[in-house]
Every structure is written in structure tokens, then in C-alpha cells.
Amino acid sequence: MKNTKVAAILNRIADLLEMDGVDFRTKAYRRAAHTVEFLSQDIEDVRDEGKLEELPGIGKSISRKIEEILDTGTLQYYENLKKEFPLDFEALAAVEGLGPRTIKLLYNKLGIKNLQDLERAAKRHKIRRLPGMGYKKEHQILENLKIAKKGTDRILLGQILPLAEDIKEEIEKLDVSRVEIAGSIRRMQETIGDIDLLVVTDKPKQVMDYFTSMNLVDDVITRGSLKSSVRLKNGVQVDLRLFKESSFGSALLYFTGSKETNVMMRRIAIRKGMKLNEYGVYRGEKQVAGKTEEEVFRKLGMQYIEPELRENRGEIEASINDELPELVKYSEIHGDLQMHTNWSDGSDSILKMAQTADKLGYEYMAVTDHTGRLKIANAMAEDRIKKQIKEINRLNQELDGITVLRGVEVNVDSRGKLDVAHDVLKNLDVVVAAVHSGFRQDREKLTARILSAMENEDVNIIAHPTGRKIHYRRAYELDLEGIFETSRDTGTFLEVNSQPNRLDLKDTNIRRAVYAGCKLMINTDAHSANQLSNMKLGVATARRGWAESKDIINTLPLKKFEKVLN
DNA sequence: GCCGTTTTCGGCCCGACTGTTTTCAGTCG
């Protein structure tokens, strides 16, 4: 997949053009980059079919440039631009308050190319003497430089969601009539840059005072009458905006984003002779919608788009054509089919897991402790698997309301064989297979391993199919199309793993799998009872991948689920 | 540079806040 590389170059071109104040051409490159980045196909395949120009935002000029990148690995136009501005734009732009115009000014007047140059110039008070700059700006640059140098990663959704909900609850205690979390958290994006809060209140000053002086706050970035931003002690930025009830829907829509989706929606409004902003839909001066999101969509002649879909990946067109999927619901999950107990590397007993799963409203769950050679995970040998089966049988007699299925998570070895014998596996209800070693094999070998596991009649599920760990390990090189095909043909389910740093398959791959006709299973892979609540992250990811309940096997009630499993 | 349910030319999303300005440019979301 060269998609990422092509998109990166197109984005860099946009950066460089932006420094020169080129406006609309910049936007064109950004749009093309977005298209390529989230394309469900390999860009090389699209080129081979001669269909580059059919992609949204890609015309003659950019398609030729893409071909050049694919053919030569580089692009002359881009190389020339880089020569004009030989500087580390990305690093400099990561400093809050530094945009393309300022970066250009700093380069032209002071020759600043990177963060070191910037720091030196600021400390020698050279920046404050530049036109449009001053003492405050220079001071601000020095402050924000420290943060930029830390290279703050985006934070995992699973980490930030509880924090955002805590802050929301705090603000709800004030004199407010409504508080909502917007932004990428509401879209349930896998990683999050900041927290966006929208508030309706009759006491704006009280709310802003409280917000900017919360215990968690390290620094107030801006403080206005309608909008304030703070940085928390853990480095996370939180923005809070006040709105009237009559604008709340359009505000929620706008601040939920994504940015690209907003731009598309505003264009649609213009085409219909209206204007859309965060205060509402306007015909002339008159507000004609805005109280609720539903109202805004209706006014624009669109189907309501769930927040998880708002990424400008085709949902706008689908909405206009009444073709949006009916997304799987958070409440539709009837069971969790991968979890670990204190029989291997989990921290809670089977009973504790079962009681917690029962409280979550599940009808069934599978205990899938590690087996065979995975010694660091306290894996079970075959005699202990048999013992555990007996223990689960006994528990099922005791338990009421939830059925515990007997399972294991087996390892797929470097040649695609399982590390537990068929004689043992045949007595189990659920066999989860996963790659836990040899990640560095090449694409062919890794793909062959997984295909071979899928063709094994004992295997029901392939867990965390691509092996990626966000911020830690890239996905293995795999022929995903081949895997999807075999998954469909053998009836082997692909997992959507709900661990906050896995979310594997990820959203865009889920969409490809669903399109290919695969059936998926959303599991938590919980290693303790409290991790069972991570299910919502997996469901969110499936929703972002346009999955419907028919695509997700564990939305089935127990009887039907068992039938499908066999 | 892209695009078309008014258009193959003339548009291209829009507002809050800050700092450095006497009226606005730049940044951010």
C-alpha cells in the first residue's frame, strides 16, 4: 500500500503552498490527500485501472503527480518546492500558534529551519523585533516549544473517555441546562487530540470561571466570553464553548466534525441557497434550523448521519441518497467471546468474569485462556485445559442468566500450525486463533499462516488479525483481500478486538471486510473483569467501519449463535 | 487545482480569539 506515502507527499505540498499564501490550490491538495489516505483500495490498483481521475478531488494535474510518485518514488514538483523552503515544516507547525505564514516569516527574516533555530532566536529576542511579532508572541513561542518538543502523541480513546466524562459531570453540577462531549471523542476516533465540550447555561461567567480554575487545569490558553481553552496537568487540551439552546444542534454538529464533513455540509447548504454555521441553518438572516442535529440534516435534505460515520468517507453521498447503513447498536451485543482469567494471564476468576458479564446484560461469554507455548502468559497445557472444561461445566450448573462457553486462545506457529491438538480442541465451544510470534516474517509467510489457521476446521475466530498496537507496533504486512476472501469462504470469523490500543481490525479494514462479505465478532480480550466494559470501544470501531448487526455474529441470541458456531 | 441540479468560468466554509494593530492578519478548530 503506497496510499500513506502518496497522501503524505500531497499534504506536504499543501503545507509548502500554504506558506506562500496559496489558498484554494492548497485546499485542493489537502482534499486529494484525504481521498488517497482513506481510500479502501490500493492506490496502485486504481492507477492500473486508469481510474485515478474518478476519485473525488483528483483531477488531471494531481493524478499525473500521483503517477509520478508511484513510478519514481518521488515527485519533481515537490522536490523543487522543498528546495525553496528547506525547513522542517511539520516540527515547526507543531508549535501551537505557529502557522504557515509565521513559519515563512521566520525563515525569510531569520533563517529558522527547525526547532533548535527557533529556540535560539526566541531566547536571543530576535523574534519580537519582526513585523507583527512582539514580546508576547515570542514568549508564547518559547512556552509552546517545550510542549512541541515532547511530541505529545494523540491519546487513546479508551484512556480519555473516562476523563472527558468526569469533566462533563463536574460541569453538569453547575447552573447549566446541557453539557455534551463533541469532537473526535463523540466520533469515537481511536485516538484523540483534545476534549471538546459544549454547554448551554444562563450563567456564562460562573461556568467559565469554574472551567478555567478546575483542579485538573495546568494552564489557561484562551479565555473568552463564549470560548475558553485550558491545558490539563496531563497535557490534554480541553475546549469549552457556550451556546444557546436554539443553536445547540448545529453547534453539536459543527464541533463533532470532522472538519472535512463540516466543509461538505456547508457546501450543500450553499447549494440550496442557505448558510450553515455553528449557530444554525440560515436563509438570509433567518434561522430555519439548528435546535437539534436531526433538524439540520432534515433541512438540508439529508438522512441523519451517526457521529461515528462523519469522516467524509462517502457518508455524505450515502445520506443524500438515503443509502446509509443501519449501524450495529451498542446495546445489541449479546456475548463476549474472548477473555482471560486467572487460569492464564488474567487477574480474575471465571466466576467473577461471568458475574460481570451477566451485569453487562450478556447472554453468553467464552473463557479463552492462553494455551501451549505462550509461557509468559502462563499458558495452559492440555491437562489444565481439560480441568478448566470441568470447572466451567460445574459453574454453568450454578449460574443463572449467563452461559459460559468453553474456549481457548491458541497460537498460530511460524508455519501456520496450532499449538494444541485436534483431540483437545474438538471438545471446546470456541477456538480463538492468534499470531503471537514471528511478527517480522514477510507478507507472504504471515498471510499463509493466517490462511492456514482459517482453513483449520477447529478454528472459529482469528483474533486481532493485523497485530497492530497503537503507538507501539505497526500492523503486519498482510494480503488482507486474500484473508477476507478465505474468511468468507471458510466461515471463520474475524475479530474486532476492543482493547484500547488494539482496535483490530480497525475501522477502515472493517469496512473492507464487511464489503467482502466477512462476518465479524467484537470481543474485549479482557484480562480483568473491569476490562469487559471496553466492549463499547470495539462496537464504536465497528460502527466507524459501517458494520450492521447482521455483520456481527455476537449480536445473535445464544441459540442462533451456537448454531452458527457449529 | 477541482468542479458543476444555476456554472466549462468563477467560485471554493466560517467564526472566536489573540496580539499587534489603529482596522486586521494569523491561527485554530
Side-chain angles (χ1 to χ4, degrees):
Chain A
M1 285 280 254
K2 300 255 176 70
N3 300 34
T4 314
K5 183 181 178 181
V6 172
I9 293 182
L10 294 176
N11 263 323
R12 294 291 82 76
I13 292 174
D15 291 342
L16 294 166
L17 291 176
E18 218 173 353
M19 289 204 303
D20 257 344
V22 177
D23 191 8
F24 297 116
R25 205 141 47 91
T26 303
K27 286 203 172 81
Y29 276 99
R30 292 243 187 265
R31 178 153 184 238
H34 182 266
T35 294
V36 176
E37 187 173 0
F38 295 105
L39 199 61
S40 58
Q41 267 176 294
D42 210 318
I43 187 79
E44 291 183 288
D45 294 342
V46 181
R47 194 275 298 269
D48 292 344
E49 291 164 23
K51 291 187 172 168
L52 282 177
E53 281 187 49
E54 287 175 26
L55 298 173
I58 295 180
K60 244 194 191 92
S61 168
I62 293 184
S63 83
R64 263 199 230 119
K65 291 188 170 76
I66 291 175
E67 288 183 346
E68 189 182 330
I69 297 169
L70 293 177
D71 289 337
T72 69
T74 181
L75 177 64
Q76 205 48 50
Y77 175 67
Y78 172 54
E79 297 300 325
N80 293 342
L81 274 175
K82 272 202 296 190
K83 271 182 218 147
E84 205 176 321
F85 296 107
L87 45 76
D88 190 349
F89 183 89
E90 255 183 299
L92 291 168
V95 179
E96 174 121 25
L98 280 197
R101 307 297 293 159
T102 314
I103 292 173
K104 186 187 177 191
L105 177 78
L106 292 172
Y107 173 70
N108 283 344
K109 299 284 183 192
L110 300 173
I112 290 172
K113 293 180 178 178
N114 51 42
L115 295 183
Q116 287 83 353
D117 296 346
L118 182 68
E119 187 168 6
R120 205 175 310 129
K123 281 185 173 160
R124 291 179 184 168
H125 305 309
K126 287 185 172 170
I127 292 176
R128 64 173 69 173
R129 290 199 284 269
L130 297 176
M133 297 283 146
Y135 159 76
K136 278 196 172 178
K137 196 86 192 173
E138 188 177 79
H139 184 69
Q140 185 193 65
I141 285 174
L142 273 174
E143 285 301 303
N144 291 335
L145 196 61
K146 291 181 203 157
I147 298 164
K149 274 206 285 197
K150 274 192 226 151
T152 41
D153 269 335
R154 292 173 64 85
I155 297 174
L156 298 176
L157 174 65
Q159 288 176 330
I160 213 165
L161 202 51
L163 173 65
E165 276 161 1
D166 282 351
I167 296 175
K168 178 180 178 216
E169 273 174 35
E170 285 299 303
I171 292 174
E172 274 171 341
K173 288 180 192 155
L174 306 175
D175 205 347
V176 297
S177 55
R178 210 163 160 194
V179 185
E180 292 294 339
I181 300 168
S184 49
I185 298 181
R186 184 154 178 259
R187 301 202 311 279
M188 299 293 267
Q189 201 167 284
E190 62 188 35
T191 61
I192 300 297
D194 62 8
I195 299 175
D196 294 293
L197 292 169
L198 302 187
V199 177
V200 178
T201 179
D202 292 330
K203 302 270 171 54
K205 187 171 178 310
Q206 182 209 10
V207 171
M208 287 305 189
D209 284 345
Y210 178 81
F211 175 67
T212 50
S213 62
M214 292 185 301
N215 270 337
L216 292 164
V217 171
D218 184 39
D219 190 23
V220 177
I221 302 168
T222 63
R223 153 90 204 228
S225 58
L226 297 173
K227 173 190 170 182
S228 293
S229 298
V230 299
R231 191 177 329 275
L232 304 183
K233 286 168 184 156
N234 63 6
V236 176
Q237 182 174 330
V238 189
D239 299 336
L240 184 146
R241 304 251 325 207
L242 302 181
F243 283 93
K244 293 201 180 107
E245 191 71 49
S246 59
S247 291
F248 201 76
S250 43
L252 192 55
L253 181 70
Y254 178 63
F255 284 99
T256 298
S258 68
K259 196 177 164 192
E260 288 80 10
T261 300
N262 287 340
V263 171
M264 294 295 282
M265 300 242 346
R266 288 180 178 202
R267 270 194 212 153
I268 290 167
I270 291 169
R271 224 161 54 206
K272 291 185 175 287
M274 296 181 278
K275 182 177 86 163
L276 170 64
N277 60 25
E278 56 264 54
Y279 300 105
V281 181
Y282 292 85
R283 197 178 278 287
E285 296 287 300
K286 191 174 180 290
Q287 193 211 45
V288 292
K291 197 171 188 320
T292 65
E293 286 187 323
E294 287 81 356
E295 194 183 73
V296 174
F297 280 111
R298 215 177 310 133
K299 202 72 197 173
L300 298 180
M302 301 171 70
Q303 240 184 320
Y304 178 80
I305 303 174
E306 298 284 352
E308 293 93 330
L309 293 185
R310 300 180 197 167
E311 300 290 348
N312 193 24
R313 297 179 191 164
E315 76 281 4
I316 302 268
E317 296 80 351
S319 156
I320 292 169
N321 298 329
D322 242 12
E323 287 170 351
L324 281 170
E326 178 131 354
L327 299 183
V328 56
K329 295 187 185 64
Y330 291 92
S331 60
E332 282 179 319
I333 300 298
H334 286 298
D336 191 341
L337 286 307
Q338 197 202 160
M339 67 185 73
H340 301 261
T341 71
N342 54 11
W343 283 68
S344 68
D345 62 346
S347 54
D348 286 315
S349 66
I350 301 175
L351 178 64
K352 176 88 183 284
M353 298 300 269
Q355 287 167 336
T356 309
D358 187 31
K359 270 190 209 139
L360 289 170
Y362 296 151
E363 217 185 321
Y364 50 92
M365 59 173 250
V367 171
T368 56
D369 278 305
H370 290 287
T371 62
R373 283 191 286 270
L374 211 60
K375 291 285 181 283
I376 50 164
N378 188 26
M380 302 189 296
E382 295 185 355
D383 58 324
R384 285 182 68 229
I385 298 177
K386 286 177 189 159
K387 252 190 213 162
Q388 195 190 50
I389 291 175
K390 278 189 191 150
E391 167 71 6
I392 291 174
N393 289 342
R394 192 185 63 76
L395 270 174
N396 274 327
Q397 304 279 318
E398 267 178 39
L399 288 164
D400 194 22
I402 186 150
T403 299
V404 181
L405 301 174
R406 295 149 298 199
V408 286
E409 180 180 8
V410 298
N411 305 305
V412 180
D413 74 14
S414 62
R415 290 160 317 163
K417 297 275 179 289
L418 308 184
D419 61 354
V420 179
H422 168 71
D423 275 352
V424 180
L425 295 181
K426 71 177 185 199
N427 297 318
L428 295 163
D429 303 306
V430 178
V431 174
V432 178
V435 170
H436 288 113
S437 59
F439 308 130
R440 300 231 178 111
Q441 288 181 327
D442 62 31
R443 179 180 157 114
E444 281 66 37
K445 276 196 190 133
L446 269 161
T447 304
R449 276 168 84 179
I450 293 178
L451 292 184
S452 139
M454 283 197 287
E455 273 151 12
N456 185 312
E457 57 175 344
D458 292 320
V459 171
N460 304 109
I461 310 165
I462 301 295
H464 40 77
T466 75
R468 68 115 175 220
K469 285 193 172 177
I470 300 171
H471 293 154
Y472 174 68
R473 185 170 73 211
R474 296 169 60 131
Y476 334 127
E477 288 289 326
L478 289 175
D479 168 18
L480 277 178
E481 295 306 328
I483 285 173
F484 294 156
E485 207 173 291
T486 306
S487 153
R488 186 192 56 214
D489 295 347
T490 59
T492 314
F493 309 125
L494 297 176
E495 185 181 66
V496 177
N497 188 294
S498 307
Q499 282 194 28
N501 68 341
R502 284 195 185 267
L503 300 177
D504 181 13
L505 298 173
K506 69 172 177 177
D507 53 6
T508 46
N509 288 335
I510 289 169
R511 193 163 169 196
R512 292 165 68 187
V514 165
Y515 184 74
C518 301
K519 297 293 178 198
L520 310 172
M521 209 179 261
I522 309 174
N523 301 322
T524 61
D525 194 1
H527 284 63
S528 65
N530 61 2
Q531 287 179 3
L532 289 169
S533 63
N534 283 335
M535 182 62 82
K536 60 177 174 293
L537 304 177
V539 178
T541 306
R543 286 165 64 85
R544 290 176 57 81
W546 295 51
E548 306 194 338
S549 64
K550 68 173 172 46
D551 305 311
I552 309 295
I553 291 303
N554 49 330
T555 58
L556 293 173
L558 179 62
K559 285 277 176 308
K560 284 188 182 167
F561 177 80
E562 283 181 319
K563 231 182 186 170
V564 174
L565 211 56
N566 295 323

